[in-house]
Amino acid sequence: MLRPVAASTAAIAVALFGAAPAAAFSFSTTPPAETAPGPRAVAITRPVPKAGASVVVPSADTPAYWQFRLGAAGPLEVFAKYFQVPGPSSAIGVADFDRRFADDLAIANTRTNGVSIHRSFPGAGLFAPQFDANNQPDAYPTGSRPIAVATGQLDPAADSPPDVATANVGDGTVTTWRSARNGNLRDRADAKVGDNPRALVIGQLTGGNPFRDVAVAVAGEDRVVVLERRGPQLNELVSVKAGDGPSELVHGDFDEDHRQDLMVANPRGQLTLLVGKAGGGFEPARRVLDGPNVSAMASADFDRDDTADLALANPSEGTVTVLLGKGDGTFSRALVYPAGNRPAAVATGDITGDGRPDLAVANLGSNTVTALLNRP
């Protein structure tokens, strides 16, 4: 088990993991592109014909979000700016809610306590909000101060549309909304999870249970809570200790046993693995890394070796650290890339359309966004 204590990401990359071989993949960082003020979240949509992928950055200071595309010369360029938003946002998710083969947006409106759906128009490559009876941007109510949003299927039916969940730091709750087949949301259900919920994911996390679950990192209680949405109820299934003040959360099969695990990070850079058990629940928390501070985390198979990797945003150093998984819950090496001033959010997706997972990083200290493009 790797438990280094290092002063910098560079120290981790070289001293602890060794240098990457010459034939290894690498990321190239694009020049920073200006965003709306207060970029605390970022998302990447799937590529669509003739339009490609979009990088979307909401503003935590103003009711707005900006859409970016990769320019012909390489850097991200503003494609559209949107101001019909119910309120400022610190969280965004993507999913195809209306089944038109293009990602829509779910934006958590932190100050107005709601989540708004912005539908895509694949032919134009643009987004539009839903409107209420007064022709104002509409939102679905949540708990107090939603600061994280997750999308995914909560219903076990394979053809069910994706649903939405938010973590609400103001009242220590999780809100879930089911998705109707027309792209609207319906049937709200809430559950109390405890002090300071910070991040959440949706997935099949409890063994053979056909229902999908919501896992939420509850920083104020040093635990992860797993909830099940069955019918009109949202009930707690599992609660497990997950290190000190867990604030970031991703799921994946990190030990390659065909069960979903949870990787948890706290702001001090401590990574904790919760290994999924065959009968449901998780093994006791296992510390896998102590490193630089972390403000955001994403997971994908970046080097395409069929094992789950991690990307960590390091705000004090202005970098992103990519940890390459070994398939046993540990990591073989780390690669460090420049990102920007105080990176606050990181997302993974295929920006270039070449099938390789790229990264987008929102930099709070400079109100910019950068892309890390995955190159062979």
Side-chain angles (χ1 to χ4, degrees):
M1 179 171 62
L2 297 170
R3 297 191 63 181
V5 178
S8 70
T9 50
I12 289 180
V14 177
L16 299 170
F17 295 91
F25 84 107
S26 182
F27 285 96
S28 61
T29 304
T30 65
E34 182 184 1
T35 68
R40 293 182 177 271
V42 63
I44 303 172
T45 68
R46 292 176 297 172
V48 296
K50 300 181 180 180
S54 292
V55 175
V56 184
V57 183
S59 170
D61 295 344
T62 62
Y65 65 93
W66 292 12
Q67 178 185 5
F68 297 83
R69 294 271 177 80
L70 194 63
L76 292 173
E77 298 176 351
V78 176
F79 182 74
K81 300 178 181 180
Y82 303 84
F83 301 97
Q84 293 177 316
V85 186
S89 174
S90 297
I92 185 172
V94 298
D96 184 6
F97 294 109
D98 54 10
R99 296 304 182 93
R100 295 198 294 176
F101 305 102
D103 281 335
D104 310 301
L105 308 177
I107 299 178
N109 310 122
T110 310
R111 297 181 190 175
T112 54
N113 302 331
V115 59
S116 56
I117 303 300
H118 299 252
R119 295 186 184 179
S120 63
F121 290 86
L126 297 167
F127 300 96
Q130 295 175 321
F131 291 95
D132 61 20
N134 297 317
N135 204 33
Q136 296 297 313
D138 201 3
Y140 297 89
T142 66
S144 175
R145 291 178 58 205
I147 62 164
V149 63
T151 61
Q153 292 177 320
L154 292 170
D155 193 288
D159 63 345
S160 63
D163 306 303
V164 178
T166 62
N168 312 308
V169 70
D171 55 10
T173 64
V174 167
T175 299
T176 58
W177 282 94
R178 288 198 181 280
S179 181
R181 294 187 181 273
N182 61 1
N184 296 326
L185 302 183
R186 59 181 177 85
D187 302 336
R188 173 184 173 179
D190 292 58
K192 186 78 173 179
V193 293
D195 179 39
N196 200 14
R198 303 297 303 182
L200 75 172
V201 296
I202 295 175
Q204 193 166 3
L205 305 172
T206 50
N209 187 345
F211 287 85
R212 271 61 168 186
D213 312 301
V214 180
V216 54
V218 186
E221 300 184 5
D222 300 335
R223 64 175 184 150
V224 166
V225 175
V226 179
L227 307 166
E228 179 189 70
R229 175 71 192 265
R230 185 176 296 199
Q233 302 296 321
L234 184 63
N235 299 314
E236 182 176 319
L237 290 181
V238 176
S239 175
V240 57
K241 290 294 184 181
D244 299 329
S247 58
E248 300 298 327
L249 179 69
V250 296
H251 67 98
D253 184 9
F254 292 99
D255 60 355
E256 297 187 352
D257 63 355
H258 306 291
R259 292 187 289 271
Q260 289 293 294
D261 312 308
L262 294 172
M263 190 70 73
V264 187
N266 68 14
R268 294 190 298 278
Q270 298 170 338
L271 264 61
T272 300
L273 176 64
L274 303 177
V275 175
K277 297 194 296 186
F282 297 91
E283 302 286 351
R286 179 179 10 141
R287 182 77 60 77
V288 295
L289 185 68
D290 289 347
N293 55 357
V294 172
S295 58
M297 178 167 59
S299 178
D301 181 12
F302 296 116
D303 56 358
R304 304 208 300 182
D305 64 350
D306 297 323
T307 60
D309 308 313
L310 287 177
L312 308 174
N314 311 121
S316 63
E317 300 184 11
T319 60
V320 167
T321 301
V322 176
L323 301 174
L324 301 182
K326 294 172 61 178
D328 61 359
T330 64
F331 302 93
S332 61
R333 64 180 184 269
L335 304 171
V336 185
Y337 301 95
N341 187 354
R342 284 178 58 204
V346 62
T348 185
D350 185 6
I351 298 175
T352 61
D354 64 357
R356 297 174 179 272
D358 306 301
L359 293 166
V361 185
N363 304 300
L364 184 61
S366 55
N367 292 332
T368 61
V369 60
T370 51
L372 276 65
L373 303 180
N374 193 338
R375 304 298 192 189

